[in-house]
Amino acid sequence: MVKFSEFTFPPSDGQHVCYAYLWQPGQEKPRGVVQIVHGVAEHMGRYDRFARFLTEHGWAVCGEDHLGHGRTGAQDGTFGYFGPKDGWDLVTRDVRQLRLLVGERFPGIPYFLLGHSMGSFLTRTYLCRYPGTVDGAILSGTGQESAAVVGAGKAIAALICKLRGPDTVSPLVNALSLGAYNKQFRPNRTSADWISRDEQVVDAYLRDPWCTFMPTVGLFRDMLGGLQYIASGRALSQMDPDTPVYLFSGEQDPVGSCGKGVGRVYGYFKKHGTKDLTLKLYPGGRHEMLNELNREEVYEDVLSWLNGHI
């Protein structure tokens, strides 16, 4: 039996209410907690199936809709926008706030972060800023472009922020980033073929009004700044090398440069001393391995890793 509940907490921007969700076993004490950190242009509702799988195996699962996403963004319709400045810091602090709140609810049991896509970048930021405060981290669909590409993208987004405001939506910036991911899957059936080989998943994504918005230039500026931070030696040297890390991705995931970017991230952790480090690439898989055709295999692999680290 899965017990599901919703709650709110005040986010770091001091202006909105942050919506959070908790899945937990009915009566038994959870084996541990998995906090999911979702990606850009999506929301925690998309993780219900995976969360229920983990809960049915004794784990509690939680997560919050980031600023500008899901129910948190729906309050005033400001989708795809973190804030006028310091957005990356605000959302990272919200991840930390939820970790503290749920940790107080379930004291003394293992606590893990699982970040997908942009959420994996936030999770990597968390590991640098709050070392030793979780028992492990799982990175789904992560990656890292070259410093030159990230720097150029941030410069373009920052310039448009200055000229038009950070809440501006730029088709150019979107085309250069998220819009470019579909190219390797031509001829395209839809604009989101890159997320999964499962056509039902893709179609549901495109029907979801909380997934189809275009992120603002302010969000791109903030996220690219976050990518610069988590590739810096200064940040990486702050991580706790005793925190286990599991990376998994599809071999055809454009966010991870078809495995190359994921390998680059693996190298960062290796270079800076992470002692327990695992990488798995799934042949043929695209961006959302938790929503891929072989998702049952992926679920079991995640569960096995979690059970092996408590």
Side-chain angles (χ1 to χ4, degrees), residues 53-111:
F53 169 83
L54 290 181
T55 304
E56 289 166 359
H57 288 82
W59 289 80
V61 180
C62 65
E64 105 293 344
D65 286 339
H66 305 319
L67 291 171
H69 291 75
R71 291 184 67 188
T72 302
Q75 294 170 73
D76 54 10
T78 54
F79 288 104
Y81 183 58
F82 291 155
K85 63 178 183 177
D86 302 324
W88 197 253
D89 181 60
L90 292 175
V91 181
T92 303
R93 284 158 55 192
D94 289 343
V95 173
R96 172 61 175 165
Q97 176 72 354
L98 182 60
R99 190 267 175 266
L100 293 173
L101 289 171
V102 177
E104 291 174 357
R105 188 162 184 170
F106 300 106
I109 63 174
Y111 201 106

Side-chain angles (χ1 to χ4, degrees), residues 16 24 45 52 60 72 98 173 179 191 239 260 280 283 295:
H16 297 85
Q24 59 182 312
R52 289 180 182 274
T72 302
L98 182 60
V173 172
S191 60
M239 294 188 302
K260 294 179 181 178
K280 181 159 188 176
R295 54 183 163 265

Side-chain angles (χ1 to χ4, degrees), residues 10-59:
S12 299
D13 73 346
Q15 299 178 21
H16 297 85
V17 171
C18 201
Y19 283 85
Y21 312 89
L22 175 64
W23 296 258
Q24 59 182 312
Q27 302 297 327
E28 61 186 294
K29 179 181 177 181
R31 305 193 70 190
V33 178
V34 177
Q35 178 177 336
I36 295 175
V37 188
H38 73 73
V40 69
E42 62 160 353
H43 56 92
M44 278 303 301
R46 300 189 70 234
Y47 293 83
D48 181 72
R49 177 167 52 191
F50 175 63
R52 289 180 182 274
F53 169 83
L54 290 181
T55 304
E56 289 166 359
H57 288 82
W59 289 80

Side-chain angles (χ1 to χ4, degrees), residues 3-310:
K3 185 178 178 183
F4 175 74
S5 58
E6 303 176 5
F7 60 97
T8 61
F9 64 91
S12 299
D13 73 346
Q15 299 178 21
H16 297 85
V17 171
C18 201
Y19 283 85
Y21 312 89
L22 175 64
W23 296 258
Q24 59 182 312
Q27 302 297 327
E28 61 186 294
K29 179 181 177 181
R31 305 193 70 190
V33 178
V34 177
Q35 178 177 336
I36 295 175
V37 188
H38 73 73
V40 69
E42 62 160 353
H43 56 92
M44 278 303 301
R46 300 189 70 234
Y47 293 83
D48 181 72
R49 177 167 52 191
F50 175 63
R52 289 180 182 274
F53 169 83
L54 290 181
T55 304
E56 289 166 359
H57 288 82
W59 289 80
V61 180
C62 65
E64 105 293 344
D65 286 339
H66 305 319
L67 291 171
H69 291 75
R71 291 184 67 188
T72 302
Q75 294 170 73
D76 54 10
T78 54
F79 288 104
Y81 183 58
F82 291 155
K85 63 178 183 177
D86 302 324
W88 197 253
D89 181 60
L90 292 175
V91 181
T92 303
R93 284 158 55 192
D94 289 343
V95 173
R96 172 61 175 165
Q97 176 72 354
L98 182 60
R99 190 267 175 266
L100 293 173
L101 289 171
V102 177
E104 291 174 357
R105 188 162 184 170
F106 300 106
I109 63 174
Y111 201 106
F112 296 82
L113 293 183
L114 188 159
H116 171 68
S117 195
M118 181 187 73
S120 76
F121 309 153
L122 287 163
T123 298
R124 288 159 57 190
T125 303
Y126 182 102
L127 294 177
C128 296
R129 292 190 179 173
Y130 306 102
T133 61
V134 292
D135 295 286
I138 302 173
L139 304 176
S140 162
T142 199
Q144 188 75 39
E145 295 286 355
S146 70
V149 170
V150 173
K154 183 184 176 185
I156 294 171
L159 177 61
I160 298 175
C161 283
K162 185 176 181 180
L163 294 175
R164 302 180 187 173
D167 57 349
T168 298
V169 171
S170 168
L172 169 63
V173 172
N174 189 74
L176 291 173
S177 54
L178 302 180
Y181 291 147
N182 226 27
K183 291 181 180 178
Q184 75 184 61
F185 302 106
R186 290 173 175 169
N188 300 129
R189 187 182 69 89
T190 75
S191 60
D193 292 354
W194 61 279
I195 70 170
S196 174
R197 292 168 295 175
D198 189 327
E199 294 185 356
Q200 292 184 353
V201 167
V202 172
D203 292 343
Y205 176 86
L206 292 172
R207 286 194 304 267
D208 191 332
W210 289 354
C211 293
T212 51
F213 60 84
M214 194 179 296
T216 62
V217 290
L219 185 149
F220 281 118
R221 174 201 61 191
D222 295 339
M223 180 168 62
L224 290 164
L227 278 167
Q228 287 180 324
Y229 173 77
I230 56 179
S232 69
R234 175 177 59 88
L236 291 164
S237 64
Q238 297 172 10
M239 294 188 302
D240 183 352
D242 291 321
T243 301
V245 177
Y246 174 38
L247 304 91
F248 70 89
S249 184
E251 280 191 347
Q252 298 302 314
D253 180 6
V255 175
S257 302
C258 298
K260 294 179 181 178
V262 189
R264 185 176 293 125
V265 176
Y266 179 94
Y268 290 162
F269 282 99
K270 194 76 173 175
K271 180 179 178 181
H272 287 84
T274 300
K275 298 173 184 176
D276 185 340
L277 186 60
T278 305
L279 167 62
K280 181 159 188 176
L281 297 176
Y282 292 91
R286 299 185 184 180
H287 184 51
E288 296 186 351
M289 289 309 309
L290 294 177
N291 287 321
E292 260 292 2
L293 293 173
N294 62 323
R295 54 183 163 265
E296 290 83 4
E297 174 191 3
V298 180
Y299 286 13
E300 291 290 348
D301 288 343
V302 172
L303 178 64
S304 177
W305 187 90
L306 286 168
N307 288 338
H309 286 84
I310 56 175

